[in-house]
């Protein structure tokens, strides 16, 4: 398995061309709380669906000169000069301000004039249309296009030679500049069909790399992708090699309908329904399934107050996002009925698209504040199980407090069971999934939290598939917590690996893209456990950071390491000749001055074990071992006769959270990574105090049971072997060699690991 990050497309990457204004590559933007979506109904057509709540709500259908959204390998070329192309399309609309009206659909062109000064032009579509205000043919020649409302009196010639973006505006029929609420939400739509771009500038280049299918699947999220067309998203999925079911989080801030008070009400809003119907149909056409993911999280500003989980002091549960989201109480019947209706609406989309229904309950939990306060005290929860006060989960709990957490867990499990039952009432064959986020549910500071947030009511066979996620541990490099958390979840809930999925990721900020190394490694580890599927979380970050993964579909082949954990026959290697080597480029100038460039940070050692071969029995043992290792193909252990132990080596300094420390041996200012310690020889100290609270992972990684305090020095003493391989594809020895009293040459070379 392997990965890389591609920041931009290079000349050697595969490319193709598309027609400018290709319907797949338009985007949509709008202010909260309105909602809009753009979908593609045909290769030359797109549709915008909108719902307006205020009189100043405006949706912009956008074409950008620079592709800021696709994966770098798949982005279209930046082309800012539009003067050599003409755009035409058929316009049809309903429920939006008509073409001939004041504030009717307008093409805003943003860029720079011929002198390089930033400016915008406003092109009224009606001035370039033939037909009726709601059904017309629009033609725009960017070499001659003129802005302004009334022509020719208000003509404003456009210079389209340096454009950043252009967008078509859509507003409600009662639009004005105020933020007054409309009498009722207004749904509207506009369709652009028969889209044609002609002229010398009508074609632009686009990345068209296609990666081979690999073992990983993908996850996506509507809140991060609502502004793109489903066809554009799924093109990225296909070309980047992801196959199998797509986990799609429907989000917490864009799918819902709102009433006039801007509080959520039942069902999906029109744009959301249109977008997800298109997403399902496109996925079906590509042979991929969709796992709809619905969480208990909701955008706080639109959530009814009585639905919210609350702390003991009555404050609502609020996440750290800005603006914040809140968590729905599993005890609130109205809130749970709302979620059941949403889940049924999404699985109905599966049925309509011909997909096998799959539904995930995404990260359901009782919220816990940063101070450890559980949010168990909304009115419905108090009435249901009378929770006793729990000031913080970070302190030891009484029997009564533990009983309260058990009761809360039972309530949570009952709510998820009812949610799955509601889905299966419509779709009896629906595959159900549970996603749990291990770093929160199994927080070491709150060891009893699993009583309420990983309840025993979730134990198999409550769900068909258990899905585990742990990205905080992964991006921190804390593989030990992942290992322990997965083991605890398996033991507590009873889902074997073949009934588990794993979600690996994500990278929150572009500046943290180096975390993809740990994410890819965690995905490989999960595959080696034999889980059913591994999903990369999430597609928007994959596209943003240029993450590329490749690897074999044969999991057994991927898991093979070219190393056998066996020791070279000690008697044969006891008299080995040892040669440490570096790779240093030395350049001598005309005056005799040198410049030196060291290519390696550590020495690599070569050995010759020939001097240990003294008899025909030794020859036989050597040949047997050489054949077993297939010559240089498979590495093995060698005990270095001169350097095979370390005493009191500093392997790290505590930071209060990290528990994993790699073994090293120091040589002055230089250090050497030790990947093959000898079993039973390891001793560890933390700030000078010996500890038995550790385990040893593969490749010489010490995992402490408790993270050392910030500034604490961690040291280790151990014996070690060197990973080596035979240096050559042939081995030559003869009886005559020994009769002459000479030793053969049997070269070995150190192998880099870790």
């Amino acid at each position: 398995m392997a990965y890389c990050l591609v920041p931009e497309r290079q000349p050697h990457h595969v490319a193709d061309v598309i027609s400018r204004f290709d319907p797949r590559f338009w985007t949509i933007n709008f202010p909260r709380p309105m909602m809009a979506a753009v979908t593609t109904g045909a290769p030359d057509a797109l549709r915008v669906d909108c719902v307006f709540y205020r009189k100043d709500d405006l949706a912009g259908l956008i074409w950008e000169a620079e592709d800021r959204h696709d994966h770098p390998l798949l982005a279209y070329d930046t082309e800012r000069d539009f003067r050599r192309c003409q755009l035409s399309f058929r316009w049809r609309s309903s429920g939006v301000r008509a073409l001939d009206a004041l504030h009717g659909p307008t093409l805003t062109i943003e860029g720079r004039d011929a002198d390089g000064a930033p400016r915008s032009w406003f092109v009224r579509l009606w001035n370039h249309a033939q037909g009726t205000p709601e059904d017309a043919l629009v033609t725009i020649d960017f070499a001659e296009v003129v802005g302004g409302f009334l022509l020719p009196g208000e003509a404003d010639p456009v210079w389209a030679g340096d454009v950043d973006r252009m967008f078509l505006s859509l507003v409600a029929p009662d639009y004005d500049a105020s933020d007054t609420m409309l009498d009722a939400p207004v749904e509207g739509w506009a369709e652009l069909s028969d889209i044609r771009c002609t002229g010398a500038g009508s074609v632009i280049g686009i990345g068209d790399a296609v990666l081979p299918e690999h073992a990983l699947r993908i996850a996506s999220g509507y809140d991060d992708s609502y502004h793109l067309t489903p066809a554009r998203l799924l093109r990225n999925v296909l070309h980047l090699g992801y196959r199998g079911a797509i986990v799609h989080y429907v989000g917490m801030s864009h799918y819902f309908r709102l009433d006039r008070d801007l509080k959520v009400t039942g069902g999906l809003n029109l744009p959301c329904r249109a977008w997800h119907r298109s997403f399902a149909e496109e996925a079906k056409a590509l042979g991929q399934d969709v796992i709809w993911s619905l969480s208990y999280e909701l955008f706080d500003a639109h959530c009814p107050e009585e639905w919210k989980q609350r702390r003991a002091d009555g404050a609502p549960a609020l996440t750290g996002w800005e603006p914040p989201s809140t968590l729905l109480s599993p005890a609130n019947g109205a809130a749970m009925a709302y979620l059941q209706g949403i889940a049924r609406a999404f699985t109905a989309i599966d049925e309509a698209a011909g997909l096998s229904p799959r539904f995930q309950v995404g990260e359901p939990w009782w919220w816990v504040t940063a101070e450890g306060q559980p949010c168990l005290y909304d009115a419905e929860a108090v009435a249901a199980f009378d929770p006793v006060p729990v000031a913080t989960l970070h302190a030891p709990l009484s029997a009564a407090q533990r009983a309260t957490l058990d009761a809360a867990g039972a309530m949570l499990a009952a709510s998820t069971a009812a949610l799955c039952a509601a889905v299966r009432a419509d779709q009896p064959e629906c595959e159900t999934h549970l996603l749990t986020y291990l770093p929160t549910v199994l927080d070491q500071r709150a060891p009893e939290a699993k009583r309420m947030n990983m309840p025993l009511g979730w134990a198999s066979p409550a769900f068909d598939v258990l899905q585990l996620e742990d990205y905080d541990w992964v991006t921190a490099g804390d593989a030990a917590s992942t290992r322990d958390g997965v083991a605890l979840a398996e033991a507590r809930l009873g889902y074997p690996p073949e009934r588990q999925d794993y979600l690996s990721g994500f990278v929150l900020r572009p500046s943290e893209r180096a975390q993809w190394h740990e994410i890819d490694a965690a995905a490989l580890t999960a595959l080696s456990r034999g889980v059913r599927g591994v999903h990369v979380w999430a597609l928007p970050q994959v596209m943003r950071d240029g993450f590329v993964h490749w690897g074999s579909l044969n999991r057994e082949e991927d898991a093979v390491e070219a190393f056998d954990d066996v020791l070279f026959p000690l008697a044969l290697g006891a008299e080995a000749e040892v040669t440490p080597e570096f790779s240093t480029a030395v350049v001598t100038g005309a005056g005799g001055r040198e410049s030196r460039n060291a290519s390696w940070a550590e020495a690599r050692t070569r050995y010759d074990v020939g001097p240990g071969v003294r008899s025909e029995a030794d020859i036989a043992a050597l040949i047997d071992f050489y054949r077993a290792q297939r010559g240089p193909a498979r590495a093995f252990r060698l005990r270095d006769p001169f350097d095979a132990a370390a005493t009191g080596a500093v392997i790290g300094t505590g930071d209060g959270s990290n528990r994993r420390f790699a073994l090293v041996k120091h040589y002055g200012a230089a250090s050497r990574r030790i990947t093959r310690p000898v079993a039973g020889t390891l001793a560890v100290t933390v700030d000078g105090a010996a500890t038995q609270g550790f385990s040893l992972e593969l490749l010489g990684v010490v995992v402490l049971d408790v993270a050392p305090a910030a500034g604490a020095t961690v040291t280790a003493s151990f014996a070690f072997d060197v990973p080596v391989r035979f240096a050559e594809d042939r081995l030559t020895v003869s009886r005559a060699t020994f009769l002459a009293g000479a030793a053969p040459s049997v070269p070995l070379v150190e192998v880099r690991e870790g």
Side-chain angles (χ1 to χ4, degrees):
M1 308 289 282
Y3 85 98
C4 67
L5 300 179
V6 181
E8 59 184 358
R9 181 157 54 92
Q10 299 297 325
H12 65 276
H13 291 141
V14 178
D16 200 351
V17 295
I18 59 168
S19 176
R20 215 170 204 165
F21 302 111
D22 185 310
R24 296 172 295 174
F25 299 98
W26 291 78
T27 63
I28 196 80
N29 200 5
F30 47 87
R32 292 183 186 274
M34 78 161 292
M35 183 61 198
V38 55
T39 55
T40 52
D44 62 351
L46 63 83
R47 177 184 171 102
V48 178
D49 289 280
C50 306
V51 57
F52 305 96
Y53 296 101
R54 293 191 173 108
K55 291 188 175 181
D56 62 347
D57 283 346
L58 180 150
L61 176 64
I62 304 168
W63 180 270
E64 296 181 83
E66 179 184 1
D67 187 343
R68 300 179 299 110
H69 306 290
D70 287 292
H71 190 283
L73 286 175
L74 303 174
Y76 59 74
D77 292 344
T78 299
E79 296 286 354
R80 302 187 186 278
D81 190 346
F82 287 75
R83 292 173 297 170
R84 297 178 299 148
C85 62
Q86 301 82 43
L87 171 65
S88 65
F89 54 86
R90 182 186 178 188
W91 170 278
R92 295 195 309 125
S93 63
S94 177
V96 299
R97 189 70 67 95
L99 287 171
D100 63 340
L102 181 65
H103 302 304
T106 300
L107 180 66
T108 300
I109 301 176
E110 298 176 340
R112 283 152 294 279
D113 64 20
D115 296 324
R119 67 155 300 179
S120 299
W121 295 268
F122 305 96
V123 179
R124 187 188 184 200
L125 290 192
W126 184 242
N127 291 335
H128 303 270
Q130 294 180 330
T132 70
E134 293 185 333
D135 189 346
L137 177 64
V138 177
T139 303
I140 297 174
D141 185 339
F142 288 99
E144 301 176 353
V145 65
V146 176
F149 186 75
L150 296 176
L151 301 182
E154 299 175 353
D156 182 15
V158 176
W159 193 77
D162 191 6
V163 173
D164 292 327
R165 70 169 188 167
M166 52 185 68
F167 66 89
L168 282 166
S169 57
L170 302 171
V171 298
D174 292 335
Y175 173 87
D176 63 31
S178 72
D179 62 357
T180 306
M181 296 294 298
L182 294 165
D183 292 336
V186 173
E187 296 179 341
W189 58 269
E191 289 182 348
L192 280 64
S193 59
D194 299 323
I195 298 173
R196 299 285 184 272
C197 186
T198 58
S202 63
V203 172
I204 57 177
I206 189 170
D208 198 39
V210 180
L211 292 169
E213 179 181 353
H214 50 69
L216 301 188
R217 303 175 180 182
I218 196 66
S220 66
Y222 187 47
D223 286 346
D224 293 323
S225 305
Y226 63 87
H227 59 299
L228 306 177
T229 66
R232 186 175 191 171
L233 277 181
L234 292 171
R235 174 178 179 265
N236 280 265
V237 172
L238 179 70
H239 282 240
L240 294 174
Y242 298 98
R243 299 294 186 271
I246 301 168
V247 172
H248 179 75
Y249 177 40
V250 303
M252 55 88 180
S253 61
H254 288 87
Y255 71 80
F256 41 66
R257 295 173 59 223
L258 298 175
D259 61 21
R260 196 177 184 280
D261 295 325
L262 299 182
K263 298 298 181 182
V264 297
T265 185
L268 309 179
N269 63 55
L270 173 67
C272 166
R273 191 165 60 248
W275 193 97
H276 285 92
R277 185 167 53 242
S278 176
F279 185 84
E281 291 169 352
E282 294 277 354
K284 173 68 174 178
L286 295 178
Q288 296 186 275
D289 288 306
V290 179
I291 302 170
W292 304 116
S293 170
L294 177 65
S295 75
Y296 283 39
E297 188 175 1
L298 202 61
F299 190 62
D300 179 67
H302 301 313
C303 182
E305 291 298 315
E306 62 274 13
W307 291 8
K308 299 177 183 180
Q309 297 179 23
R310 294 187 180 275
R311 301 186 325 217
D313 62 3
L318 297 178
T319 67
W321 300 109
E322 186 57 43
S325 54
T326 190
L327 278 295
L328 302 183
S329 171
N332 188 284
M336 295 299 100
Y338 166 79
L339 286 183
Q340 292 168 21
I342 297 299
R344 295 171 73 172
F346 276 107
T347 52
I349 291 173
D350 269 337
E351 183 179 32
L355 292 172
S356 299
R358 289 172 167 82
F359 173 70
Q360 178 210 91
V361 186
E363 296 180 356
W365 52 32
W366 294 96
W367 189 249
V368 180
T369 70
E371 297 77 24
Q373 299 169 288
C375 295
L376 307 174
Y377 302 97
D378 61 276
E380 298 282 357
V382 170
F385 56 90
D386 192 21
V388 302
V390 180
T392 178
L393 295 174
H394 297 168
L397 302 183
S398 68
Q401 290 172 325
R402 292 194 298 272
T404 281
L405 300 189
D406 287 337
M411 177 65 69
L412 179 61
S415 74
T416 57
L419 186 52
C420 290
V423 170
R424 281 184 163 159
D426 294 341
Q427 310 286 342
E429 302 302 317
C430 182
E431 183 180 79
T432 60
H433 303 67
L434 171 75
L435 174 65
T436 184
Y437 184 61
L438 297 178
T440 294
V441 173
L442 303 179
D443 186 346
Q444 290 185 353
R445 299 171 302 169
E448 301 290 358
K450 61 181 176 290
R451 291 176 177 270
M452 65 177 187
N453 282 334
M454 190 183 280
L456 295 176
W458 284 350
S460 178
F463 301 89
D464 295 314
V465 181
L466 174 66
Q467 297 183 309
L468 302 178
E469 185 178 17
D470 64 341
Y471 59 81
D472 274 357
W473 289 339
V474 170
T475 55
D478 190 1
S481 289
T482 293
R483 180 200 61 199
D484 296 345
V486 168
L488 191 153
E490 286 184 353
R492 185 171 176 84
L493 301 182
Y495 294 85
E498 60 269 21
R499 289 181 56 206
Q500 292 178 32
D501 284 346
Y502 176 71
L503 273 67
S504 185
F506 68 82
V507 180
L508 181 60
R509 302 175 184 87
S511 60
E512 299 169 339
R513 59 172 55 91
Q515 293 173 347
W516 285 110
H517 176 78
E518 285 76 20
I519 290 169
D520 195 74
L524 175 58
T525 300
L527 285 172
S528 70
R529 286 200 300 114
V531 299
R532 193 190 70 153
V534 175
H535 300 259
V536 179
W537 176 254
L539 181 59
Q541 287 75 38
V542 166
M543 295 160 65
R544 179 197 69 197
D545 295 340
F547 175 74
V548 172
H549 174 91
W550 64 91
S552 169
L553 282 173
N554 186 327
R555 295 189 184 185
E556 292 184 1
E557 178 183 318
D558 288 340
V560 168
E561 296 181 8
F563 183 90
D564 289 329
D565 198 13
V566 296
L567 185 66
F568 184 78
L570 190 58
L572 301 184
E575 299 182 25
E577 295 179 355
V578 182
T579 308
E581 65 177 2
F582 285 92
S583 176
T584 307
V586 180
V587 178
T588 304
R593 292 183 179 274
E594 293 182 346
S595 62
R596 295 174 293 277
N597 181 42
S599 301
W600 299 348
E602 299 180 27
R604 185 171 70 165
T605 309
R606 290 184 177 272
Y607 300 88
D608 191 334
V609 294
V613 180
R614 298 184 177 276
S615 66
E616 292 188 25
D618 289 346
I619 294 175
L622 175 63
I623 292 175
D624 284 350
F625 192 76
Y626 185 83
R627 287 180 179 276
Q629 302 312 117
R630 289 182 282 172
R634 304 198 62 77
F636 48 90
R637 290 174 179 258
L638 177 72
R639 190 72 45 83
D640 189 317
F642 304 105
D643 186 9
T647 302
V650 176
I651 60 174
T653 303
D655 62 6
S657 60
N658 182 37
R659 297 192 290 137
R660 302 178 79 248
F661 299 89
L663 293 179
V664 294
K665 182 174 181 181
H666 302 283
Y667 302 84
S671 62
R672 179 185 189 183
R673 179 77 167 82
I674 303 300
T675 59
R676 300 292 167 177
V678 176
T681 67
L682 178 62
V684 178
T685 67
V686 178
D687 253 6
T691 178
Q692 298 298 317
F694 68 87
S695 59
L696 183 63
E697 289 188 344
L698 292 175
L699 298 183
V701 176
V702 176
V703 182
L704 297 172
D705 294 347
V706 179
T713 300
V714 183
T715 64
S717 299
F718 50 89
F720 65 91
D721 297 321
V722 181
V724 298
R725 63 171 172 81
F726 287 102
E728 298 175 355
D729 274 320
R730 66 177 61 186
L731 176 66
T732 303
V733 291
S734 69
R735 180 176 296 158
T737 298
F738 296 97
L739 294 176
S745 177
V746 185
L748 309 178
V749 62
E750 183 178 0
V751 174
R752 298 277 195 221
E753 294 185 302

